[in-house]
Amino acid sequence: MTGLQAGLKNRHLTMIAIGGVIGAGLFVGSSSGIATAGPGILLSYALVGTLVVLVMRMLGEMSAANPTSGSFSAHADRALGRWAGFSIGWLYWFFWVVVLAVEATAGATILESWIPAVPQWGWALIVMLVLTATNLVSVGSYGEFEFWFAGIKVVAIGAFIVVGALAIFGVLPGVHADKASFGNLSDHGGFLPHGPGAILTGVLLVVFSFMGSEIATLAAGESENPQRAVTKSTNSIIWRIAVFYLGSILVVVSLVPWNDPSIKEKGSYVAALDSLGIAHAGQIMNFIVLTSVLSCLNSGLYTASRMAFSLGERGDAPKMFARTTSRGVPRAAILASVLFGFVAVFFNYKFPDSVFLFLVNSSGAVALFVWLVICFSQLRMRKIIQTEAPEKLVVKMWLYPYLTWAAAGVIVFVLGYMLTDTEHDGRETVLLSLLVAAIVLVIAVIKEKVLGGRTAVAAESATAPDEVKTG
């Protein structure tokens, strides 16, 4: 057992930070948001983007002072109590292993359309096995795969924004850009065709596509300079969200009227490319979506396994999860995570409308729970850091504690608003997620009451201020 190793280079961390923001949900889920809120979906993205920037700033403050593979779970453990670290850690693990199944199925659907000789379940199996092997080799191989996957996403979105902007301004030769105009933002029923309330409904539809921003803080624990990596990724979150989310969605709703039927039929980005008469737009976008899916799978498996490793290290999961190979890979944590992923894939094919739907809905609000825990952890952790090691406050939350409380209030409001949403399954998602959270919380409390404190070794590992094991 050598512990995790610093196998991630700076270029890996940079691309993981950029790519972590761009989930497949941006490409796949934006069409329903546009149909619901019209051009006003830009305000929905801006609101959620602002919230993510604030939450990442809080997480950056804690992680720069104490880089660890457990990230917000380890911070919650120390700031709020063992029950908080245990609960949010397992909920986050559960979220990502369900994501594995969702993304594997999405990738398999695209691959089957290209090579129908292999059945969809076969493609799902192949994709999962390849990425499991990648993660089992070393953290460096995960970083290398993610570098290229994320690189393709970044280049693709960058090219899409440039091409779209040129078409909107009428300076792109050889394309049919007769519909393209900033006038599309107001010409079809106004900027808010369904009224201001649609902005909040849009928030519910886009909030989950932002999950993954926090991966860089988990990965930082295995980098050459964790504090620098966390600081850099935290400081760059604003332009990443502004460019990749707001920039690309602005291009979409300017190229195509928000109520154009092609947005729902083909997907927003495919419809935008098609409107320019670009050949094979659908296949180009399918390739980009597949890359995003593989990137999400790769990061999901990495993230789930590192959270399981951290829980094992703190005595909140089986001890074998905290054991690593000579290359610093937590093999048992990876295999346990992928095994649950395989089971979830099986449920998706065998019981898609019952068991799998329950898994998806019951993990749906976990993103908001994680952000809320980060808010409350930061409120407490700032005082701890100021008392014990003020020199480690290299990243500071703006307007502390007012912005932290404001962010927490917005998250609670969004959760409350979801309870009123029956059209898009918001109520069911929150209630089922709360049910699972309550179960995990009860287990955490029972474990603490019955088993008492963790072993001295586990406790020391959990509270070490800035230890990074390098093997």
Side-chain angles (χ1 to χ4, degrees):
M1 178 174 162
T2 58
L4 299 177
Q5 297 183 4
L8 292 175
K9 298 181 172 64
N10 284 333
R11 67 183 177 88
H12 292 153
L13 258 294
T14 300
M15 205 52 84
I16 287 167
I18 295 172
V21 180
I22 311 166
L26 174 61
F27 300 110
V28 181
S30 53
S31 3
S32 56
I34 292 169
T36 301
I41 195 67
L42 284 164
L43 296 180
S44 304
Y45 274 106
L47 279 170
V48 180
T50 303
L51 183 60
V52 172
V53 167
L54 295 178
V55 170
M56 281 298 294
R57 186 74 184 183
M58 296 174 221
L59 185 55
E61 176 181 296
M62 296 185 288
S63 295
N66 178 20
T68 168
S69 61
S71 188
F72 52 83
S73 171
H75 303 321
D77 193 298
R78 191 165 182 222
L80 305 176
R82 186 179 178 185
W83 62 271
F86 177 97
S87 303
I88 207 65
W90 276 114
L91 283 172
Y92 191 68
W93 178 86
F94 174 57
F95 171 84
W96 278 110
V97 292
V98 172
V99 166
L100 291 182
V102 174
E103 300 294 344
T105 307
T109 306
I110 295 171
L111 288 165
E112 189 194 26
S113 71
W114 291 344
I115 308 173
V118 179
Q120 199 179 101
W121 65 265
W123 279 121
L125 187 67
I126 291 166
V127 165
M128 291 274 276
L129 288 173
V130 168
L131 293 176
T132 302
T134 304
N135 274 265
L136 283 171
V137 172
S138 69
V139 68
S141 64
Y142 153 72
E144 201 61 36
F145 262 69
E146 192 53 27
F147 177 80
W148 291 104
F149 285 152
I152 291 170
K153 285 192 292 188
V154 169
V155 169
I157 289 198
F160 175 82
I161 292 171
V162 170
V163 169
L166 290 174
I168 293 164
F169 289 110
V171 291
L172 187 66
V175 301
H176 311 293
D178 51 318
K179 289 182 183 176
S181 160
F182 283 126
N184 284 326
L185 297 176
S186 57
D187 288 348
H188 305 273
F191 186 69
L192 294 170
H194 296 147
I199 298 171
L200 286 175
T201 310
V203 165
L204 307 188
L205 295 172
V206 305
V207 67
F208 304 110
S209 64
F210 282 85
M211 193 65 168
S213 312
E214 68 292 325
I215 291 174
T217 64
L218 278 98
E222 292 175 82
S223 68
E224 293 158 347
N225 188 335
Q227 193 178 72
R228 179 177 176 272
V230 168
T231 306
K232 195 174 174 184
S233 69
T234 303
N235 289 338
S236 64
I237 187 81
I238 298 174
W239 73 259
R240 284 185 275 136
I241 287 175
V243 172
F244 296 125
Y245 277 87
L246 293 175
S248 65
I249 293 295
L250 175 61
V251 167
V252 169
V253 292
S254 299
L255 286 177
V256 190
W258 70 271
N259 54 357
D260 192 307
S262 64
I263 288 183
K264 268 201 166 180
E265 289 164 14
K266 303 173 183 176
S268 49
Y269 287 80
V270 175
L273 289 176
D274 266 351
S275 73
L276 300 178
I278 293 175
H280 311 296
Q283 292 305 329
I284 293 169
M285 195 48 65
N286 270 341
F287 173 72
I288 295 165
V289 171
L290 178 64
T291 306
S292 293
V293 162
L294 294 176
S295 167
C296 196
L297 262 172
N298 194 36
S299 288
L301 183 51
Y302 171 83
T303 306
S305 63
R306 286 339 185 250
M307 187 56 75
F309 169 84
S310 176
L311 287 164
E313 203 177 34
R314 287 178 274 143
D316 287 336
K319 285 183 181 177
M320 64 178 180
F321 285 3
R323 296 195 188 111
T324 55
T325 65
S326 57
R327 287 173 172 263
V329 174
R331 184 187 293 153
I334 290 173
L335 292 176
S337 301
V338 85
L339 178 62
F340 194 98
F342 277 125
V343 170
V345 168
F346 169 76
F347 285 143
N348 193 8
Y349 287 108
K350 200 73 177 167
F351 312 106
D353 299 322
S354 53
V355 181
F356 187 70
L357 190 64
F358 169 80
L359 290 176
V360 172
N361 283 337
S362 62
S363 64
V366 166
L368 292 166
F369 296 165
V370 166
W371 296 346
L372 196 57
V373 166
I374 289 171
C375 291
F376 290 127
S377 298
Q378 190 265 337
L379 285 168
R380 176 88 184 88
M381 190 60 86
R382 165 68 78 93
K383 293 172 183 172
I384 294 173
I385 299 168
Q386 281 178 326
T387 304
E388 295 180 359
E391 72 281 359
K392 288 182 181 174
L393 274 173
V394 290
V395 175
K396 285 187 178 182
M397 177 58 185
W398 307 297
L399 296 176
Y400 168 84
Y402 308 108
L403 269 184
T404 304
W405 278 112
V410 170
I411 295 166
V412 171
F413 175 78
V414 171
L415 284 167
Y417 188 76
M418 284 179 76
L419 288 171
T420 69
D421 174 46
T422 51
E423 189 182 346
H424 304 100
D425 299 327
R427 177 183 292 175
E428 189 177 3
T429 298
V430 172
L431 291 177
L432 287 176
S433 297
L434 284 171
L435 173 66
V436 172
I439 293 169
V440 174
L441 194 57
V442 167
I443 294 170
V445 172
I446 291 173
K447 187 175 185 294
E448 198 163 356
K449 296 286 185 190
V450 174
L451 300 179
R454 50 165 81 82
T455 63
V457 176
E460 190 178 330
S461 174
T463 56
D466 59 352
E467 245 179 31
V468 179
K469 296 180 181 176
T470 54

